[in-house]
Amino acid sequence: MSASSLRIALVGNPNSGKTALFNQLTGSNQKVANYAGVTVERKEGIYHAANGSSIHILDLPGAYSLEATSPDEAVTRDVLRGQYRGEAEPDVLVCVADATNLRLHLRFVLELIALGRPMVLALNMMDTARKHGIRIDTQALSKELGIPVVETVAISKDGAKALVDKLNSPDWAGRQVSEELTLEERHQRVRSLMATVVSYDKTATTLDDRLDALFLHPVLGLGVLAVLMFFIFQAVFSWAEPAMDAITDGISVFGAWATSPLPQDSALFSLLNDGIFAGLGNVLVFLPQILILFFFILVLEESGYLPRAAYLLDRMMFRAGLTGRAFIPLLSSFACAIPGIMATRTISDPRDRLTTILVAPLMTCSARLPVYTLLIAAFIPQQTVAGTFNLQGIVLFCLYFAGILSALLVAYVMKWLRRDKREHALLMELPAYRLPHLRDLAFGLLQRAKIFLKRVGGIIFSLTVLLWVLCTFPGAPEGATGPAIDYSFAGVIGHWLAYVFEPVGFNWQICIALVPGMAAREVAVSALGTVYAMSGSEDMIANQLGQVIAQTWSLPTALALLAWYVFAPQCISTLAVIRRETNSWKVMGFALFYLFALAYLAAMATYQLAEWLL
């Protein structure tokens, strides 16, 4: 078989560095999608070898065993066995194992060998293993397993060279036949292999030990976590401001140029100026803040810190009805509730997984960020506290903390209501610390930017155009004295909903924005831009949306809308994923009801209290 026709499957345990190795091999020659019928991510790319050949590489979801306990593991199992419909069988398996935790990974290696497919074992993070005083005899391990074993360092520029050389050589194939071992036999085999091929320098004092003494300390560790989160939200405002100003100015200049040839009383001018540029422009400006937030989340994940934070918070979260393993899905929900809900597959206990799924939408995701920052910038002065801390960043930190506290309180209520009071121990792998690689961070940020821009150019653009149509037609009748939007379909709907939301303090413009905002939370910002562009005076239209809101809303109304977005399930995609992950319309309906009920009650209480105090 020639290298040019090879189809390779990268497989391994989570946290083995498999995806980093995939990025190393494929670079920008990769595409990300979902497997048909499931919400499991599928990554495929092409490696262009120096000899001109191309190797197709499939990055399979992380798995601990072929005895699947999650949708991710089921996909990996079926693809490896050639049983997944629409997915070609891989020609070669490349199993990526963490050299610093070889005992855990070898059990899966033995399962893969039993499949009888050509296979190469890539011992990743070998540089870290040596720093820890771990010595692995790769030649002896290769002889014992009967397959080639290569050393890799996925975060190093040439860290995959040994693997590429092996794949391009004529003797890359491992043995074709292997005996099937029972679980106990695999454990015995692993113990034998570890005794034969691995040795330890027990005198080695590692940086990991010193870092764990700090990060896992029951008091100091929590302090470090709080400082990290506080710093992140300070950076979201402080670092993003220049880029946001540049985007705002660019959109303004481009909008003026694009609409200059058109008559100002034409429908096309209104669509472009009042609809598209007023709507999409107010969403695009938040891209720098979203990317900064994602940058920090990726750094924490790539460095190996997140599992330690989960371990540290296990006791506190357990008292609220969650396990420490729920920390990673909940933190993933900071980026988006959907990957957070999907990440609950790592939680083996069905009871804990269901609780985590139901509270994940309460976490303050990046889709809420445009709404939060718009209102914060409009009503909170941009000043420092104690000469150092950005006041707007402090408020954003408090909003994120409110989401976390709400999730814990809801989980505690669910724990109190359920009948099963049994405790479940937390078993979690703590990977070695490692410096995040700039290439992997860049890939992660690029993917997130593409997702955001795709939403802006897809669903948000479509809804902005639809909202413009609803705000434009039918036109105002003869003799009308108010803005034309008051007589449009959207105006009628908004004024009707205003009666429902009067105790909450929402005006009819907010009510209009909430309707398309059900598709995606950030759509509410574009909707507000469109509505106010079509209903305000010329002076108001000339101002930025934040300035218009500051002039027309009261502070209690702004605070009520912030409280609403802490709880409201303003995302149909999230509800659809809850339905898919739980396979229950009942659970999805319960989530929809309790989240809207909490949102209304919280917004009403906030508005009424603020009105009384102010």
Side-chain angles (χ1 to χ4, degrees), residues 220-237:
L220 297 178
L222 288 174
V224 170
L225 179 59
V227 170
L228 283 174
M229 301 306 296
F230 185 82
F231 174 77
I232 289 173
F233 298 123
Q234 287 288 307
V236 164
F237 274 97

Side-chain angles (χ1 to χ4, degrees), residues 374 378 540 542-552:
L374 172 67
M540 289 174 60
N543 291 330
Q544 298 296 327
L545 179 59
Q547 296 174 318
V548 174
I549 288 175
Q551 295 171 14
T552 56

Side-chain angles (χ1 to χ4, degrees), residues 432-470:
Y433 290 102
R434 53 187 179 271
L435 289 175
H437 197 277
L438 292 179
R439 181 190 63 252
D440 296 327
L441 295 178
F443 278 135
L445 292 177
L446 180 61
Q447 288 179 1
R448 183 57 199 176
K450 287 181 178 178
I451 292 172
F452 179 79
L453 293 175
K454 184 177 180 181
R455 287 166 68 89
V456 171
I459 184 172
I460 297 178
F461 174 81
S462 302
L463 289 173
T464 298
V465 173
L466 175 61
L467 182 61
W468 175 84
V469 172
L470 294 176

Side-chain angles (χ1 to χ4, degrees), residues 199 224 244 273 279 344 405 423 438 444 451 474 538 546 556:
S199 60
V224 170
M244 295 177 70
N273 188 68
T344 61
L405 182 61
E423 297 187 7
L438 292 179
I451 292 172
E538 292 299 321

Side-chain angles (χ1 to χ4, degrees), residues 237 371-382 391-393 395-397 399 562:
F237 274 97
V371 180
Y372 284 174
T373 53
L374 172 67
L375 297 179
I376 290 172
F379 288 92
I380 304 298
Q382 189 173 4
L391 179 59
Q392 295 178 340
V395 174
L396 183 62
F397 174 80
L399 285 170
L562 286 174

